[in-house]
Amino acid sequence: MSNGAPLVLVSNRGPVTYQDDGSVKRGTGGLATALIGLASHRDAVWIASAMTDRDVAQSDEHGGRAFEIEVPHGGNFRVRFVASDPEAYDRFYNIFANPMLWFIQHYLWDQSNAPDIRRHEVEAFEFGYNVVNEDLAEAVLEEIEGTDEPVVMVHDYQLYTLPGMVRRARPDVFLHHFVHIPWTQPDAWRVLPTRIRDEIFDGLLANDIIGFHTRSYRRNFLQCVRDLTEHEVDMERGVVRCRDRDVWVRAYPLPIDWRATQGVAERDSVREFEERLVRRRREYSILRVDRADLSKNVLRGFTGFDIFLEQHPEFAERITFTAQLMPSRTDVPEYAEYLERIEALVAVVNHRHGTPDWMPIDLKLRDDLDEAVASYKHYDVMMVNAMFDGMNLVAKEGPLVNERDGVSILSENTGAHEELGEFALSVNPFDVQELADSIYAALTMEPQERARRAAGLKQIVTSRDPGDWIDEQVADIRKKARGGAAVES
Ligand code: F6P
């Protein structure tokens, strides 16, 4: 960081994807949202996988090098797309990263049934996961060639073996890895064959600093290293002694770029959606906005609403539950099946409670930021009931722009709960009766109490921004590079 070289960011998903019709789509998910905020605050080059044919074409057009892009409503910066062999990429993305790692890190495996680890899965790691990590590692090495004291920030679970590859070629590099999803307890990791698990921990421990959203993920990671590897761990200070190096393990809760989100809320395109929403709204509105991911617990959300309607018939025809879900990872069979189960359950609940002119659940299977932000402004209740979720940025974006003192129902198993729990209605995501009761409690809450909670949430969300998040990490990078001692985070 001392020689003015740009910060090198590397992740699987990039800030944009180029679509077949020539349009540019902003990357979805917490990671893209966070890094767009970060990259537009710093001189950075962002290395990411080319995910569509058009991304590959763009990369070819620039000779595989970094080029300047403009992210819709996200600023300008340099991106380098890396194209991997399609078969390797498929094994990486659809078999190993999702579902294997994703499911381990969200406790999603129903272990008496799945997974079976066969040659298929092992080869997906060797000839898929590692190949894509290697391709991205090579791009990193090219970007830092000739720079002194380069700093590389690696992002998320798709890239656990990349740091080891970079470290072997450039022992002098400073590697910082941020994991955007939960880190689970040691037994969840015993699903993986020891050799694969060891490669993952070796790769990760090639970093100088490993960051998580919460103190509890940090603790779980340290416990994993203690129980599943030979390395010495200082649980208090969060340090792993790795041969002759120390690895710091820290918690940096991710804030949202709240000024940018407020800017989106002011857009004309958002206002157009709002007019339609307000014209059609019933007395009360419940909202959820999520990727259609198993970890988000969409089915129990609808079951909770079903129970609520059954136990409180006085709300019939007076309320709509809008669920805006973005289809995600649809080539992974578990995700495709989940989407079908969501549609089937919505049909059942609507059939059970609906009337000729009232559809209790309005399911919108699409990814439209303007529409989501318009809905944020007008909900009475927002439901975030994820089974497990790294942070959940929707839990921060909604209360920021909401104009009705809406109440947040928030799963205690989201990273956001560590910060926002005090002003939300906390729920155990498996307890659907509690969820139904919370919907009722939110809808009947005294206006003063709603206002108090809404103000509390807004205050927390606006107290930090991605600039602070990156500054905290850069401060640690500097401190560690100077040989400073770790302090508990
Ligand atoms: O934030 C968690 C995360 O899994 C990111 O790693 C990922 O980019 C995003 O959600 C969306 O998932 P995907 O890139 O598979 O669409």
Side-chain angles (χ1 to χ4, degrees):
M1 301 236 105
S2 57
N3 55 358
L7 186 61
V8 176
L9 307 176
V10 52
S11 65
N12 172 51
R13 185 165 290 284
V16 293
T17 42
Y18 291 86
Q19 307 295 293
D20 281 348
D21 62 4
S23 62
V24 180
K25 192 167 150 275
R26 193 181 153 113
T28 48
L31 177 145
T33 309
L35 297 198
I36 289 168
L38 190 162
S40 51
H41 280 76
R42 297 274 156 164
D43 179 18
V45 55
W46 184 343
I47 301 171
S49 292
M51 296 181 88
T52 62
D53 291 345
R54 286 284 183 137
D55 290 349
V56 176
Q58 282 288 330
S59 164
D60 289 347
E61 237 174 71
H62 295 89
R65 298 267 152 196
F67 57 97
E68 184 88 12
I69 59 155
E70 188 182 338
V71 178
H73 308 287
N76 287 54
F77 42 83
R78 286 192 310 132
V79 168
R80 174 172 175 153
F81 280 129
V82 177
S84 290
D85 167 65
E87 200 189 322
Y89 192 83
D90 179 58
R91 285 168 145 175
F92 155 82
Y93 188 83
N94 292 319
I95 303 173
F96 203 79
N98 315 298
M100 187 60 72
L101 287 176
W102 182 270
F103 275 36
I104 288 174
Q105 293 197 240
H106 292 84
Y107 300 104
L108 289 174
W109 286 122
D110 170 11
Q111 287 187 16
S112 62
N113 286 313
D116 289 346
I117 310 282
R118 298 169 192 262
R119 193 180 287 166
H120 182 66
E121 284 71 24
V122 172
E123 290 184 351
F125 178 70
E126 281 176 16
F127 306 122
Y129 192 81
N130 273 340
V131 170
V132 173
N133 274 257
E134 188 83 57
D135 292 341
L136 288 160
E138 272 169 27
V140 168
L141 289 169
E142 275 183 32
E143 287 298 329
I144 62 176
E145 203 179 318
T147 55
D148 296 333
E149 301 175 30
V151 177
V152 178
M153 291 184 86
V154 187
H155 287 269
D156 231 354
Y157 64 98
Q158 297 94 345
L159 305 182
Y160 289 153
T161 53
L162 177 144
M165 298 166 182
V166 175
R167 171 76 63 206
R168 278 190 287 280
R170 281 292 299 264
D172 64 322
V173 68
F174 195 103
L175 286 164
H176 178 104
H177 200 131
F178 192 84
V179 179
H180 292 252
I181 65 176
W183 195 278
T184 41
Q185 288 160 356
D187 283 347
W189 290 88
R190 294 188 194 275
V191 161
L192 288 177
T194 312
R195 191 175 56 76
I196 295 184
R197 213 171 57 207
D198 287 349
E199 269 193 60
I200 287 176
F201 280 99
D202 283 351
L204 261 170
L205 293 169
N207 287 294
D208 291 282
I209 299 182
I210 305 172
F212 295 96
H213 284 304
T214 70
R215 290 188 298 276
S216 111
Y217 308 153
R218 169 184 179 267
R219 197 171 45 244
N220 287 346
F221 178 78
L222 290 165
Q223 269 166 9
C224 280
V225 177
R226 194 189 57 191
D227 295 0
L228 304 174
T229 79
E230 298 295 311
H231 302 294
E232 206 182 296
V233 178
D234 182 334
M235 296 290 293
E236 287 307 304
R237 288 167 60 241
V239 177
V240 178
R241 184 78 192 151
C242 219
R243 290 169 210 105
D244 53 342
R245 299 169 35 250
D246 279 352
V247 182
W248 290 8
V249 183
R250 320 277 296 164
Y252 309 100
L254 176 69
I256 56 168
D257 193 345
W258 56 271
R259 290 183 192 83
T261 307
Q262 278 180 338
V264 173
E266 297 305 316
R267 292 203 305 237
D268 288 345
S269 46
V270 169
R271 294 202 190 284
E272 281 166 29
F273 274 114
E274 280 186 78
E275 275 166 30
R276 251 174 283 159
L277 279 176
V278 170
R279 224 179 309 127
R280 290 174 29 198
R281 70 167 283 138
R282 303 253 161 182
E283 198 178 335
Y284 300 105
S285 131
I286 306 182
L287 175 69
R288 74 174 307 143
V289 176
D290 285 298
R291 272 186 316 104
D293 192 294
L294 289 84
S295 64
K296 305 289 181 184
N297 210 19
V298 177
L299 297 173
R300 286 197 188 83
F302 292 143
T303 301
F305 184 57
D306 183 23
I307 297 172
F308 160 80
L309 289 176
E310 207 172 283
Q311 296 175 346
H312 299 283
E314 68 277 19
F315 280 89
E317 308 225 343
R318 295 164 63 200
I319 187 161
T320 306
F321 183 177
T322 303
Q324 185 168 327
L325 303 177
M326 304 139 214
S328 178
R329 306 174 186 167
T330 44
D331 290 335
V332 177
E334 285 87 345
Y335 282 76
E337 189 201 318
Y338 193 59
L339 211 47
E340 281 171 20
R341 292 180 63 199
I342 288 173
E343 290 182 285
L345 183 56
V346 169
V348 167
V349 176
N350 279 344
H351 182 74
R352 186 175 295 149
H353 301 282
T355 62
D357 54 13
W358 175 54
M359 198 172 59
I361 300 176
D362 184 5
L363 178 64
K364 299 174 176 174
L365 292 180
R366 53 186 176 252
D367 173 12
D368 191 316
L369 181 66
D370 288 345
E371 187 175 14
V373 172
S375 303
Y376 285 160
K377 291 168 88 170
H378 296 279
Y379 65 75
D380 298 291
V381 180
M382 185 164 75
M383 185 188 291
V384 177
N385 68 321
M387 279 189 268
F388 294 96
D389 204 342
M391 172 51 75
N392 197 297
L393 298 182
V394 169
K396 296 187 171 183
E397 291 166 351
L400 173 74
V401 297
N402 182 263
E403 294 175 353
R404 295 176 64 87
D405 287 341
V407 179
S408 290
I409 294 180
L410 184 58
S411 159
E412 60 196 14
N413 296 345
T414 58
H417 193 269
E418 232 176 57
E419 293 170 87
L420 305 177
E422 181 190 350
F423 295 103
L425 291 181
S426 303
V427 286
N428 167 340
F430 302 97
D431 186 342
V432 286
Q433 180 61 58
E434 183 185 44
L435 183 58
D437 294 344
S438 300
I439 294 173
Y440 182 73
L443 294 170
T444 54
M445 193 179 278
E446 288 299 323
Q448 258 182 336
E449 177 60 6
R450 288 174 62 134
R452 184 189 74 81
R453 288 173 183 261
L457 292 170
K458 273 194 186 114
Q459 195 278 325
I460 294 171
V461 171
T462 52
S463 63
R464 288 168 70 239
D465 67 17
D468 298 315
W469 182 69
I470 189 71
D471 285 348
E472 291 157 16
Q473 296 175 61
V474 168
D476 278 347
I477 291 173
R478 291 215 168 97
K479 187 167 169 212
K480 185 166 191 294
R482 284 198 309 264
V487 284
E488 202 185 339
S489 70

